[in-house]
Amino acid sequence: MSRTTLRELQLDGLVGPTHNYAGIAPGNTASDRHRGQASRPRDAALEGLAKMRLVHRLGVPQGVMPPHDRPSLATLRAWGFAGRDEEVLSRAASVDGGWLLRLAASASSMWVANAATVAPSTDTLDGRTHFVVANLAAAAHRSLEAPLTERILRCLFADTSHFLVHAALPGGPSLGDEGAANHTRLETDRGAVHVLGWGRSEDDKPSQRPARYPARQSREGSYAVARLLRLPDERVVFARQHPAGIDAGSFHTDVLAVGQGGFLLAHEYAFEDAPGLFERLAARLGPAFRARLVNEGELPVEVAVRTYPFNSQLLTLPSGKLGIVAPAECQAEPACKQLFDALVGEDGPVERVVYVDVRQSMQNGGGPACLRLRVPLTPEELGALAGRTLVNDALLDELEAWVKRHYREELRAADLADPALARESMAALDELTSILHLGPIYDFQGPAVAGG
């Protein structure tokens, strides 16, 4: 099968009605800076939809995933809080300073780059597209996401003749897996290679691990993901994250590296041995492979983590060249703007850079790339998607109107205990499943949920 038969679907997570700044992610410096501040859910969702519209109009396949229901009343009840919804929320808010409520109300599921790792049918041993749902075991609030993520993916990719969705890895943090945020698929005329980044291993010495922040992705988890994806050994390269990058706030590899097609852009602190990684990739991908290493003098890692140039979306445009969808913060930062201008000016694969405002997501630690899961598909597989997954202008108009009807303009930490907010969110998500032609997927919609 020719590699030109694949088109990469950008599957974006729709920001939920309870988008908030809980500040519960160690190592996520943006989340920590904005902890407890008022969020703007309506703006957040509209920013995400505007980015989807931009990508769609660039001629790139664009899809949408529904958000998780938050606060998760089912989770709070599983933690022993009983009674009516009002009582459950009130009791959870009164325990440990409301920490458990903040966990159950986290907005982190909006970043679907952490939803799963994906290998296309052209690369796998059985000729199907494989998904491995991320267990996100390194963080309590994110570890809650896997069951509903699996249910949603099984709903969207229901045709098992084309797709196979694997459950999240068992084994807890020792097999911690953070999904596609630590995965990059590269391809040239020599074939495809999957780069799987990891930050820690069970046999590490203390000196090998980051000193300030935890490394989330385990080597053992990365190897298990590669096996489940049914990837031949020659298609996989494992690369250790640089401890200094993690300590600077690069909790996932996509904070300091991004790749597409035959091009990889990485900061020198993205991987422990970036030059060695480039050599291994060049040996497998051939002379068509291009790599650009950005050193600390050109772009300090602190600036890169604050402005997220490497968390841009690197897209294959209809022209065959690459386009970059970068956060607006990069346009305002001279070092980032200079880097992107140079990439376009060089005789390289990048054709254009477009800047987008996703400020509400950025303030919680997620740039444009965090908001999407990349799913390379053949035309036949694109046609096999269930529901209204692929967006067009009409669906985006409908979703914008839905957001304006249901989302609050502002949300503060105390609002998470408001039962009215939970009811508003459930009403909104119930309507959304109808708009997207998904049927019931949420626990509150009843026990007979899709994929359950």
Side-chain angles (χ1 to χ4, degrees), residues 206-222:
S207 60
Q208 293 176 284
R209 294 196 175 188
R212 184 180 183 190
Y213 294 131
R216 299 188 188 184
Q217 181 80 27
S218 72
R219 180 179 66 86
E220 293 78 7
S222 294

Side-chain angles (χ1 to χ4, degrees), residues 91-163:
R91 289 166 181 164
S94 68
V95 172
D96 295 328
W99 179 69
L100 288 175
L101 177 59
R102 292 198 300 277
L103 294 184
S106 168
S108 59
S109 64
M110 64 196 272
W111 299 311
V112 296
N114 298 114
T117 308
V118 185
S121 58
T122 53
D123 300 353
T124 62
L125 292 171
D126 67 355
R128 287 188 291 177
T129 299
H130 286 254
F131 300 77
V132 178
V133 175
N135 63 23
L136 301 169
H141 64 292
R142 300 226 62 176
S143 69
L144 307 176
E145 297 171 21
L148 182 54
T149 296
E150 180 183 348
R151 189 184 300 162
I152 292 171
L153 289 175
R154 289 185 185 277
C155 181
L156 300 182
F157 300 94
D159 187 341
T160 55
S161 67
H162 291 298
F163 313 116

Side-chain angles (χ1 to χ4, degrees), residues 1 12 20 49 77-78 87 114 135 140 172 196 213 250 263 279 286 303 311 324 339 354 367 405 430 442:
M1 181 180 291
D12 277 43
N20 67 91
L49 288 168
R77 288 192 166 92
E87 294 169 322
N114 298 114
N135 63 23
L196 292 169
Y213 294 131
S250 179
F263 180 62
E279 288 179 9
V303 175
N311 199 254
I324 296 175
L339 171 63
V354 182
R405 284 197 305 274
D430 192 48
Y442 298 107

Side-chain angles (χ1 to χ4, degrees), residues 390-405:
L390 293 174
V391 305
N392 52 33
D393 285 335
L395 177 57
L396 290 167
D397 289 344
E398 193 172 349
L399 290 173
E400 286 179 356
W402 170 81
V403 167
K404 291 173 183 177
R405 284 197 305 274

Side-chain angles (χ1 to χ4, degrees), residues 24-108:
I24 49 178
N28 183 333
T29 55
S31 172
D32 189 57
R33 282 198 309 273
H34 295 93
R35 177 186 304 169
Q37 293 185 14
S39 63
R40 300 187 66 82
R42 184 181 300 175
D43 287 349
L46 293 176
E47 287 170 3
L49 288 168
K51 182 177 78 71
M52 292 185 221
R53 192 184 296 273
L54 168 66
V55 171
H56 168 62
R57 290 184 174 177
L58 286 173
V60 176
Q62 176 67 61
V64 61
M65 274 183 71
H68 288 212
D69 52 320
R70 294 292 184 268
S72 173
L73 289 161
T75 297
L76 292 173
R77 288 192 166 92
W79 288 338
F81 297 106
R84 294 177 292 112
D85 292 351
E86 293 84 349
E87 294 169 322
V88 168
L89 292 167
S90 176
R91 289 166 181 164
S94 68
V95 172
D96 295 328
W99 179 69
L100 288 175
L101 177 59
R102 292 198 300 277
L103 294 184
S106 168
S108 59

